[in-house]
Amino acid sequence: MSVRAFRAPVLHCLRDPGDAPDSEHVEHFTDGLLVVNGGKVAALGPAPALLAKLPRGTEVVEFPDRLIVPGFIDTHIHYVQTDVIAAHGKQLLEWLETYTFPAERRFADAAHAAEVAEFFVAELLRNGTTSALVLGSVHAVSVDAIFLAAERTGMRLIAGKVMMDRNCPAYLRDTPESGYAESRSLIERWHKRERLLYAVTPRFAPTSSDAQLQRAGDLAREHDDVYVHTHLAENREEVEWVRKLFPDARSYLDVYDRYGLVRERSMYAHSIYLDEADRRRFVETGAAVSFCPTCNLFIGSGLFNLGEAWRQGMRVGLGTDVGGGTTFNMLQVLNEAYKVAQLCDFNLSPLRALYLGTLAGAEALCLADRIGNLAPGKEADFVVLDAAATPLLARRTAAARKVSEALFAMIMLGDDRCVAATYLQGELAYRRP
Ligand code: GUN
Ligand code: ZN
């Protein structure tokens, strides 16, 4: 990996831009130069000033009519549900039984897992997603397959084997001991190998016995730099079920808390039905929520109150939650995040939407020292967006006076067609045909 530079308009967030329409926490270079050395950002600034300082002969790739933004960070996605995306007509618990469990059964087969993993990783890159927190199936081979596929591309990926030992079909059950042992051996094999990291992944409280949650907590304690990844308070019927299964717990979050699963590097997908004490607990511990609006709307689960979460200081990232979510594309997920926020009386600004899809995810994953923006020293993962990807977008953005207006148009009108190219550590990983 040698020195290379990319000349283009560049937009990224240095911090949460907050509610302000134009924030000093955002950097925008209309004619920017992103210099990459050894896979990391070496410099970012106005092209005229930086070009003069480049070593003679440095390759400069130019995208004058595009917009470079940091790669998107998907904080919750099931690769083993790729083939049940867009399955019609059920709410959560019935959807799991009808579509999800039979699909996940097939991941006992390493060849099937490898084929889907390959497609899945390519689809992430085609959509400008450069980092993701991913669930496998209950089968360890499924996790080997996704790590292998990710490693070949060089993308940053966190994944884990689902643990579940009850309230699911017998063909998908592990046990407290086998779930523990298989997860531990996956940690030894994959955690911190290249850009890969491991997540201890109990599916959700209803499908794990007390003994299994205990063993998941043991793993989290024994390896404090691994992730914890699960679902929380997504659907009213599910919340009621958890109340019956764990009558002593104060809340659904408290079930996980009792086993030491609520801490930094814990990611709780959905988290729609929280109370004040739960929100405080998120803030105290540094645990994070993955907001999954496309899934929450599609399955009919409810509206996550992003404004309230942010007002309280919770860490929130954005998740596609494929296959309950209906797209791999984070622009589309931001589109629905905006609309869900509107329904909760919270207006998501365009720049804060960019933050939600990039740096906020990095912060939620405690990886903001490495990814999430294009500050010098960060891993050079970025997307080249095309704000004229469709006739309507071209027409709408031709009249845009500010970059935030063009960005918002891409969020509302755009999708994978806007992704002209995706780079991982400064290397081309996808180019739109
Ligand atoms: N809760 C438990 N498992 C799942 C799943 O696979 N998808 C979603 N959306 N919610 C869940
Ligand atoms: Zn999920």
Side-chain angles (χ1 to χ4, degrees), residues 76 78 135 231 269-270 321:
H76 181 73
H78 302 248
L135 295 95
H231 299 88
H270 309 290
D321 200 10

Side-chain angles (χ1 to χ4, degrees), residues 273-355:
Y273 302 102
L274 303 181
D275 62 17
E276 278 307 301
D278 292 332
R279 290 198 184 88
R280 271 201 305 277
R281 194 67 191 136
F282 269 100
V283 176
E284 272 165 25
T285 58
V289 169
S290 178
F291 173 28
C292 304
T294 43
C295 177
N296 296 340
L297 294 175
F298 179 68
I299 300 193
S301 299
L303 306 176
F304 173 72
N305 196 331
L306 176 66
E308 191 52 37
W310 271 346
R311 270 190 292 280
Q312 307 247 347
M314 288 167 61
R315 292 181 180 174
V316 182
L318 194 69
T320 57
D321 200 10
V322 166
T326 48
T327 179
F328 279 74
N329 187 265
M330 293 282 277
L331 293 169
Q332 289 198 340
V333 181
L334 286 170
N335 171 324
E336 302 210 334
Y338 177 84
K339 294 169 186 170
V340 168
Q342 287 288 86
L343 286 169
C344 297
D345 284 327
F346 176 69
N347 184 260
L348 180 62
S349 76
L351 295 178
R352 219 172 182 192
L354 176 66
Y355 166 72

Side-chain angles (χ1 to χ4, degrees), residues 365-400:
L365 293 167
C366 301
L367 288 173
D369 57 331
R370 296 185 225 179
I371 54 173
N373 65 20
L374 300 169
K378 297 275 183 105
E379 295 166 2
D381 293 347
F382 58 91
V383 194
V384 182
L385 292 177
D386 177 3
T390 71
L392 180 60
L393 255 174
R395 189 179 173 91
R396 180 63 184 85
T397 57

Side-chain angles (χ1 to χ4, degrees), residues 76 78 80-81 92-93 95-96 100-101 104 135 162 164 202-207 230-232 234 238 252 269-270 292 295-296 299 301 321-325:
H76 181 73
H78 302 248
V80 291
Q81 295 175 13
L92 178 65
L93 300 176
W95 176 84
L96 288 173
T100 311
F101 292 153
E104 294 189 12
L135 295 95
V162 157
M164 52 179 170
R203 178 173 216 116
F204 67 155
T207 49
T230 186
H231 299 88
L232 171 70
E234 173 178 6
E238 170 213 9
Y252 192 161
H270 309 290
C292 304
C295 177
N296 296 340
I299 300 193
S301 299
D321 200 10
V322 166

Side-chain angles (χ1 to χ4, degrees), residues 194-232:
E194 304 286 330
R195 303 181 84 195
L196 309 174
L197 296 161
Y198 193 79
V200 173
T201 312
R203 178 173 216 116
F204 67 155
T207 49
S208 286
S209 63
D210 287 277
Q212 180 159 73
L213 291 171
Q214 182 72 53
R215 292 309 260 155
D218 292 344
L219 285 166
R221 253 185 310 279
E222 290 158 10
H223 310 269
D224 72 344
D225 58 358
V226 301
Y227 289 81
V228 171
H229 186 198
T230 186
H231 299 88
L232 171 70

